[in-house]
Amino acid sequence: MGEVVLERDEGAGGGEGQRPPIALTPRRAPLIGDWAVRRRTFTWRQARGWLEGLPGGALNIAHEAVDRHGRGDLADVVAVRFLARNEPTTELTYAELARQTDVTAVALQDLGVRRGDRVCTLLPRSPELYLTALGTLKAGAVYCPLFPAFGMEPVRQRLELGGVRVLVTDSESYANKVAPVRDRLPDLQTVVVVDAGGAGDEPSTAEVMAWETVMQEASESLQRNGFEIVSTRPDEPALLHFTSGTTGRPKGAVHVHEAVVAHHATARFSLDLSPGDLYWCTADPGWVTGTSYGIIGPLTCGATVITDSADFDAKRWYSILQDEKVEVFYTAPTALRMLMRRGVEMAHDYDLSSLRHVVSVGEPLNPEAVLWGLEAFGLPVHDTWWQTETGAIIVSNYPGMPVRPGSMGRPMPGVEVGVLERGADGRAGVVDGHVHVLDDPHAVGELAIRPGWPSMFRDYLGEPERYAKAFVDGWYLTGDLARLDGDGYLWFVGRADDVIKSAGHLIGPFEVESALMEHPAVAEVGVIGKPDPLAGEIVKAFVTLKADMVPSESLRRELITFGRKRLGSVAPREIAFEEHLPHTRSGKVMRRLLKARELGLPEGDLSTVERPA
Ligand code: PRX
């Protein structure tokens, strides 16, 4: 085998020196009750019964998240409160959200959006984002969020791959990231710009339409003709989330309306959300957490979602926790590490007594961060594990269950996970079509999940073969390496592939390499995740130059700027020039070897490395 296997220190995986479990009495009886009992008794059918559904067996996420509350007992409860720097706070009750998402759905239909069409946002966390997401679902179309910090290239590629029909964005993003490539996006029929002014202000043009104009017309049309939410089937596509793999283009994970059953059950069991609870999710909806748990899950529970469009700022965050009286806080390890850097004293300057549950996702949560939570908030941080493909939380430290610092927790009731023995390539090994489930609590293998949970992705858009490859012998293979201890707690060990995790965001090395390759000086690129104390990993690129080019500091800076411009937040932070990059005999750049060298680790068996002539 020619692979260098890089894994996290086993100590962090719950071996020797493991920290003692933390068992605190929860401030409110947890909705999950006792995990072991719930795991024996829970069925997805039961969770489906907690939702309302539509006549004839139809199911629409937006009905469960908004309409059934907006037209029921929770009509006057605040659904979403929007905080922004230098702008007044605004909020929408469930009743207002129900009406305004009707208007948005009518607007989209009037723009020609039909069932199954894709609608994208490229927006900060704002009312228009929430209205577009939920209005799209009401219209029976598929919502696809894009991260606003993406540069032109990731935006173009996703709009193209998604065959996106309508994009809602702001004028700056439109001018910088979309207008220059619009002629390469034949499917993109309409762009709605949220800050273009209303009717009589700046007229809409053939190129872009003004949000206010579109909504005003739709509001009139709604009054004339009414609107009925589209009766989508449970297995009809609802959400499209792009995610990154090791090779090739981004993968468009397709989720269906039935996913709402899992969004709801996990928001109850893992986040412990009830009607009226004040809940803050710091994730951007451009990534799956911000959609599943910034929009859908908490709304299905009737909670009040706090959302802030500003970037991270420790004092601002503590002020929000204090002033908004946040009860449940869902965030990421990088953010927690940034808070930790400011010291526990800063946390103590604020009254955080409303907090009753702190939860984390997206990257390994250091045991120190779990314990720091105890000091800062009086609560341990509860880690959760899941992926874009799983659509909802799969593994969690549930409220009321002892937290084992460093462990991702236990599987969600209704979900079967397995740790599978690996083959020579580091992935789950298949012998005669079968995999082997490890039962040794110390053994590391590939984390796998039995299909059957409702938010499982149903397709990689336009790539049925790639989708099929994700399943082997009745398991979905996650690409993560983990260990399952004797008490059913899972411990993250590492990725089985070269995908990079920076500040909780998944970055495909191939996408970064392809963008840098477009610079005229560049001959070849290999990209790795370089460990970083704050962001977990940062993107580092190793570059060889074309024959007539000479490495220099100014060229390095030029490449950094080139990457930033094209890629935005996923661009490399470090670039190193190399004479040669290591290749396999089949000609692929060996990223793992680049990484081993960067880290000063043993290079392993190099029998498949092609030596430069
Ligand atoms: O490698 C795992 C890591 O994030 C990957 C999924 O990333 P994405 O699809 O962008 O979804 C992120 C939000 C759910 C996983 O395959 N990951 C996620 N949660 C954890 C984690 N790694 C360690 N510990 C976690 N709790």
Side-chain angles (χ1 to χ4, degrees):
M1 99 176 214
E3 294 285 28
V4 182
V5 178
L6 302 169
E7 290 174 2
R8 271 156 47 89
D9 173 13
E10 283 292 314
E16 293 301 305
Q18 185 186 313
R19 322 246 177 160
I22 304 168
L24 289 187
T25 308
R27 298 190 184 161
R28 194 172 88 179
L31 294 170
I32 187 171
D34 178 77
W35 172 81
V37 173
R38 186 67 79 169
R39 200 160 157 80
R40 276 200 307 277
T41 56
F42 174 83
T43 62
W44 290 112
R45 201 184 158 82
Q46 180 187 29
R48 170 68 183 79
W50 296 335
L51 301 174
E52 202 169 62
L54 291 167
L59 187 66
N60 187 302
I61 294 176
H63 175 80
E64 306 304 331
V66 183
D67 287 2
R68 83 185 159 115
H69 303 316
R71 289 159 194 157
D73 295 345
L74 304 180
D76 297 329
V77 169
V78 173
V80 194
R81 180 171 296 145
F82 300 94
L83 313 184
R85 205 184 273 283
N86 308 324
E87 277 174 51
T89 295
T90 56
E91 57 188 34
L92 290 169
T93 63
Y94 275 96
E96 288 161 347
L97 189 61
R99 195 195 113 67
Q100 291 200 31
T101 47
D102 275 358
V103 175
T104 316
V106 170
L108 292 170
Q109 288 178 337
D110 288 352
L111 290 174
V113 170
R114 298 286 168 262
R115 245 168 135 140
D117 284 350
R118 264 86 63 183
V119 175
C120 257
T121 52
L122 180 63
L123 285 174
R125 297 176 283 271
S126 58
E128 291 86 354
L129 184 148
Y130 278 72
L131 295 177
T132 306
L134 294 159
T136 299
L137 296 169
K138 282 189 165 182
V142 176
Y143 174 58
C144 173
L146 295 180
F147 186 43
F150 276 150
M152 184 165 69
E153 189 51 26
V155 168
R156 184 201 62 74
Q157 199 176 26
R158 286 160 178 77
L159 290 173
E160 185 188 327
L161 292 174
V164 173
R165 190 168 177 133
V166 172
L167 168 70
V168 182
T169 187
D170 52 40
S171 47
E172 192 184 330
S173 294
Y174 179 69
N176 295 335
K177 300 175 187 173
V178 184
V181 290
R182 190 149 176 199
D183 57 351
R184 292 166 66 190
L185 299 168
D187 295 319
L188 184 61
Q189 293 186 349
T190 311
V191 176
V192 179
V193 176
V194 297
D195 54 351
D201 206 355
E202 250 180 75
S204 297
T205 64
E207 215 175 46
V208 295
M209 303 188 74
W211 171 271
E212 283 181 40
T213 313
V214 172
M215 293 306 146
Q216 200 170 325
E217 283 170 15
S219 179
E220 288 158 19
S221 156
L222 176 68
Q223 271 175 7
R224 275 196 312 275
N225 309 321
F227 168 76
E228 211 163 301
I229 188 166
V230 172
S231 284
T232 39
R233 294 184 318 273
D235 64 352
E236 201 168 325
L239 302 163
L240 172 66
H241 285 291
F242 281 101
T243 183
S244 298
T246 308
T247 55
R249 58 202 215 182
K251 305 179 274 190
V254 176
H255 291 280
V256 297
H257 280 273
E258 189 189 9
V260 70
V261 178
H263 295 142
H264 180 67
T266 51
R268 274 195 191 203
F269 290 169
S270 180
L271 303 180
D272 201 44
L273 292 176
S274 302
D277 283 352
L278 295 164
Y279 163 75
W280 183 22
C281 170
T282 60
D284 190 279
W287 304 93
V288 71
T289 308
T291 301
S292 294
Y293 298 105
I295 307 177
I296 301 168
L299 294 179
T300 64
C301 294
T304 294
V305 175
I306 314 285
T307 178
D308 180 30
S309 64
D311 287 337
F312 175 86
D313 169 342
K315 287 189 174 161
R316 180 176 173 89
W317 277 34
Y318 285 126
S319 301
I320 291 175
L321 290 171
Q322 169 184 274
D323 299 346
E324 298 297 327
K325 301 190 167 32
V326 173
E327 294 163 81
V328 179
F329 182 38
Y330 199 15
T331 190
T334 296
L336 289 164
R337 288 191 290 265
M338 293 202 285
L339 291 176
M340 286 167 76
R341 280 208 167 174
R342 307 300 295 266
V344 78
E345 301 74 27
M346 185 185 270
H348 292 160
D349 288 343
Y350 296 81
D351 173 6
L352 306 178
S353 58
S354 298
L355 268 182
R356 72 177 157 79
H357 191 35
V358 180
V359 195
S360 166
V361 71
E363 33 169 339
L365 180 68
N366 332 45
E368 306 78 61
V370 176
L371 298 171
W372 179 83
L374 268 182
E375 272 187 77
F377 309 124
L379 301 163
V381 181
H382 289 65
D383 195 13
T384 61
W385 177 95
W386 56 292
Q387 306 180 303
T388 304
E389 284 86 344
T390 73
I393 294 167
I394 293 290
V395 177
S396 171
N397 287 276
Y398 304 91
M401 187 181 89
V403 171
R404 296 196 174 176
S407 162
M408 309 192 287
R410 283 162 151 169
M412 170 72 191
V415 176
E416 185 189 349
V417 303
V419 169
L420 309 184
E421 190 174 2
R422 288 178 287 164
D425 64 352
R427 300 291 309 265
V430 185
V431 181
D432 295 334
H434 295 293
V435 295
H436 176 229
V437 180
L438 296 167
D439 53 15
D440 173 353
H442 300 288
V444 172
E446 180 165 357
L447 180 59
I449 313 168
R450 279 263 190 233
W453 76 101
S455 59
M456 184 179 85
F457 72 130
R458 305 301 164 92
D459 198 5
Y460 282 134
L461 192 72
E463 296 185 284
E465 279 166 23
R466 210 172 182 182
Y467 183 73
K469 269 192 169 162
F471 298 84
V472 173
D473 193 20
W475 293 94
Y476 161 65
L477 307 182
T478 68
D480 277 3
L481 303 178
R483 200 173 67 72
L484 182 62
D485 73 19
D487 300 318
Y489 282 78
L490 282 145
W491 302 80
F492 182 79
V493 173
R495 292 276 317 181
D497 59 21
D498 295 337
V499 169
I500 300 163
K501 253 290 151 130
S502 188
H505 299 154
L506 209 57
I507 300 174
F510 184 76
E511 190 172 4
V512 178
E513 288 161 1
S514 306
L516 284 188
M517 291 284 286
E518 286 181 29
H519 189 282
V522 172
E524 195 173 37
V525 188
V527 162
I528 64 160
K530 175 181 169 183
D532 179 79
L534 207 56
E537 291 185 320
I538 57 160
V539 179
K540 175 160 187 175
F542 297 86
V543 171
T544 58
L545 296 175
K546 293 203 176 132
D548 50 344
M549 300 304 302
V550 183
S552 68
E553 180 53 24
S554 69
L555 181 56
R556 201 187 58 76
R557 277 203 303 268
E558 185 182 319
L559 287 177
I560 294 261
T561 311
F562 181 81
R564 273 247 131 220
K565 195 144 184 274
R566 307 218 98 191
L567 294 161
S569 61
V570 301
R573 288 246 299 270
E574 285 185 18
I575 290 183
F577 294 116
E578 298 285 324
E579 284 271 313
H580 305 281
L581 296 180
H583 292 101
T584 61
R585 291 222 171 97
S586 60
K588 283 197 288 189
V589 173
M590 287 188 76
R591 301 186 188 110
R592 281 176 175 250
L593 191 51
L594 288 171
K595 188 159 178 171
R597 288 178 184 168
E598 176 72 28
L599 302 184
L601 291 174
E603 297 187 359
D605 176 358
L606 300 179
S607 57
T608 63
V609 183
E610 179 205 60
R611 295 279 166 198

